[in-house]
Amino acid sequence: MRTLFIMVCFTVSLGMSGQIKSEHLEVGEEAPQITATDQNGKAINSNEILENDKILLVFYRGNWCPYCKKHLGELEKNLEALQDKGVFVLVVTPESEEKTRETQEKFNTSFSIVHDSGNRIMKDYKVAFEVNETNVPNYYDKVTELVNEYNSESEKVLPVPATYLIGADGIIEYVQYDPDYKNRSDISEIVESL
């Protein structure tokens, strides 16, 4: 049954990069401020974090996505090395607060995961896209079903699974953005580059 679910999610994902725009924030641009509350009730303010650490900002679609799960596993595996190099890991998702806690428990993560209320962080970082029949030409009904189940907002919005490294000065130092959901940042490569 689990294998069937993973196969369905994989197949559902195949049609998700069709018409998604590639406009996004670039290296050298100022990172928009982030204020939110993580899965543990901790207040997150990017300006305060940047007083002491850089921020590795990762957007993911949901714990239903096998590529997202793998990427979160890589983040957790490299978390200590990132922290040793002065990097705070912040993960943003449209998943409901309940689902962010489920993600933490399911994958035993110890980094901050925030529910993007109103999809404002995704919009500020230009990674949000609407789940519609143009952007998701294949399996639109299944993707809509997953979004309705996992996201708390009435909008059918998902992020391009992008990664940003924000320097202590608030300027973006690294960007991985690709509408092809299979292409993710290489976390160990980021660690080595710090």
Side-chain angles (χ1 to χ4, degrees):
M1 186 67 169
R2 179 186 158 119
T3 304
L4 176 62
F5 179 73
I6 290 171
M7 291 298 291
V8 167
C9 289
F10 174 75
T11 306
V12 163
S13 299
L14 289 177
M16 297 198 65
S17 62
Q19 302 297 318
I20 299 168
K21 294 179 183 176
S22 61
E23 178 188 344
H24 60 282
L25 297 180
E26 301 280 355
V27 170
E29 291 189 64
E30 187 172 343
Q33 182 181 11
I34 298 169
T35 56
T37 303
D38 75 8
Q39 77 278 18
N40 299 313
K42 177 182 176 183
I44 300 293
N45 181 320
S46 61
N47 288 351
E48 291 174 4
I49 294 167
L50 291 171
E51 290 174 8
N52 300 305
D53 296 306
K54 292 183 176 191
I55 296 174
L56 185 65
L57 176 63
V58 176
F59 293 90
Y60 85 101
R61 300 183 294 173
N63 73 39
W64 54 268
C65 167
Y67 288 92
C68 294
K69 291 191 280 192
K70 182 178 179 186
H71 201 220
L72 293 181
E74 286 298 309
L75 268 176
E76 185 63 33
K77 179 178 158 187
N78 288 282
L79 183 60
E80 189 175 332
L82 286 163
Q83 291 171 334
D84 288 348
K85 294 195 176 199
V87 177
F88 181 90
V89 174
L90 179 60
V91 175
V92 175
T93 180
E95 283 187 320
S96 68
E97 291 175 12
E98 176 187 345
K99 292 293 185 183
T100 62
R101 288 187 292 275
E102 180 183 293
T103 297
Q104 178 185 29
E105 292 166 15
K106 201 174 193 178
F107 307 111
N108 199 29
T109 59
S110 50
F111 44 76
S112 286
I113 305 172
V114 299
H115 158 69
D116 189 5
S117 181
N119 305 309
R120 62 185 170 76
I121 302 168
M122 292 186 297
K123 290 173 183 173
D124 285 349
Y125 280 81
K126 300 182 180 181
V127 299
F129 70 91
E130 183 182 351
V131 176
N132 58 40
E133 292 186 62
T134 301
N135 290 337
V136 187
N138 299 320
Y139 308 103
Y140 169 73
D141 292 337
K142 184 60 181 173
V143 173
T144 299
E145 181 183 318
L146 288 165
V147 168
N148 288 338
E149 178 184 349
Y150 281 79
N151 297 9
S152 65
E153 307 298 332
S154 59
E155 295 179 61
K156 291 177 177 53
V157 174
L158 288 175
V160 170
T163 302
Y164 292 87
L165 180 64
I166 304 166
D169 58 359
I171 302 300
I172 297 170
E173 297 180 351
Y174 167 90
V175 175
Q176 189 282 328
Y177 177 101
D178 191 332
D180 182 344
Y181 65 92
K182 295 176 286 187
N183 296 329
R184 305 296 175 102
S185 57
D186 184 327
I187 304 301
S188 57
E189 191 176 282
I190 292 171
V191 170
E192 288 175 20
S193 72
L194 290 167

